[in-house]
Amino acid sequence: MSQDVPVTGYAILGLLTFGDELTGYEVKQRADVTLRFYWVSPAMSQIYTELRRLTGLGLVRADARPDGGREVTTYAITDAGQQALRDWMDQTPAGFPVLKHTVLLRLLIGHASEPEQTRRMLLDYLDELERARTDLAEVREALRGADRPGEPFRFPSLVADWGLDYFAAEGRHARRALDSLEDGEPG
């Protein structure tokens, strides 16, 4: 079964495991709020493509209902979907993440630009990191109270904590690179 479902499909299955039925739009909103910190949040068209695939495979149930003169379809994970997700999680190797880090690429070839431009890029990155850290801290705070062992948001809380640590480490490394550039430049 796993050959028929891409990782994005498993991400969508996972988003449907919190006990509620969601429209495609609501799946996209949940993806934007949660996945964006560590995985590419799928486009709306990709959400619907995956929902159709998952429905066709019997992993998701689609229920159409009238809503104010239009028909709205909600999606829920099926028992087969729960099992497929569990199998994927249990049988897929952890793997090592591919780091596509534009800042590091630009720093690697920083000699091709002016030192001041490299410093400006690092300062801009620090600003972006702070905005992302603030956003994630708000998400993490919203999970408090439902994040104890056995609670539904225990694992999303662990991911948020990991992300906050990651952003802090990124900030340390960017500041260290900035300091090194300052120390190495003639004054």
Side-chain angles (χ1 to χ4, degrees):
M1 182 80 60
S2 65
Q3 295 172 324
D4 299 332
V5 180
V7 174
T8 300
Y10 287 110
I12 291 171
L13 283 174
L15 294 174
L16 292 171
T17 62
F18 291 96
D20 47 356
E21 294 187 11
L22 302 173
T23 65
Y25 177 76
E26 291 166 336
V27 170
K28 172 64 173 153
Q29 286 180 314
R30 186 170 284 175
D32 286 348
V33 168
T34 58
L35 299 181
R36 69 187 171 111
F37 294 108
Y38 56 90
W39 190 261
V40 176
S41 184
M44 202 67 216
S45 59
Q46 193 175 13
I47 296 278
Y48 282 109
T49 297
E50 289 306 321
L51 286 169
R52 278 192 300 278
R53 179 194 327 258
L54 296 169
T55 300
L57 292 170
L59 305 178
V60 166
R61 184 186 77 246
D63 293 315
R65 59 177 167 72
D67 183 29
R70 63 187 181 100
E71 190 171 89
V72 174
T73 302
T74 58
Y75 300 89
I77 191 168
T78 63
D79 289 342
Q82 291 274 7
Q83 186 60 53
L85 182 61
R86 191 172 304 115
D87 290 347
W88 176 75
M89 291 185 65
D90 292 349
Q91 298 169 13
T92 303
F96 193 80
V98 175
L99 185 60
K100 291 183 176 181
H101 200 308
T102 308
V103 172
L104 289 180
L105 176 61
R106 291 173 63 191
L107 187 59
L108 174 73
I109 55 178
H111 63 277
S113 182
E114 294 298 321
E116 184 53 39
Q117 184 56 40
T118 302
R119 283 191 284 277
R120 188 173 19 260
M121 182 255 316
L122 289 169
L123 289 168
D124 289 347
Y125 182 55
L126 284 168
D127 288 344
E128 290 176 34
L129 273 172
E130 182 54 29
R131 285 192 297 277
R133 191 206 60 76
T134 299
D135 287 351
L136 185 54
E138 289 173 8
V139 169
R140 177 60 181 100
E141 194 54 40
L143 298 171
R144 292 216 190 276
D147 58 349
R148 291 177 294 281
E151 296 280 341
F153 294 108
R154 172 70 172 160
F155 292 99
S157 297
L158 294 172
V159 171
D161 290 339
W162 186 318
L164 290 168
D165 289 346
Y166 173 80
F167 290 153
E170 282 287 292
R172 283 191 309 276
H173 294 301
R175 283 187 290 282
R176 185 181 307 145
L178 266 172
D179 291 345
S180 179
L181 288 173
E182 294 296 327
D183 293 343
E185 296 298 323

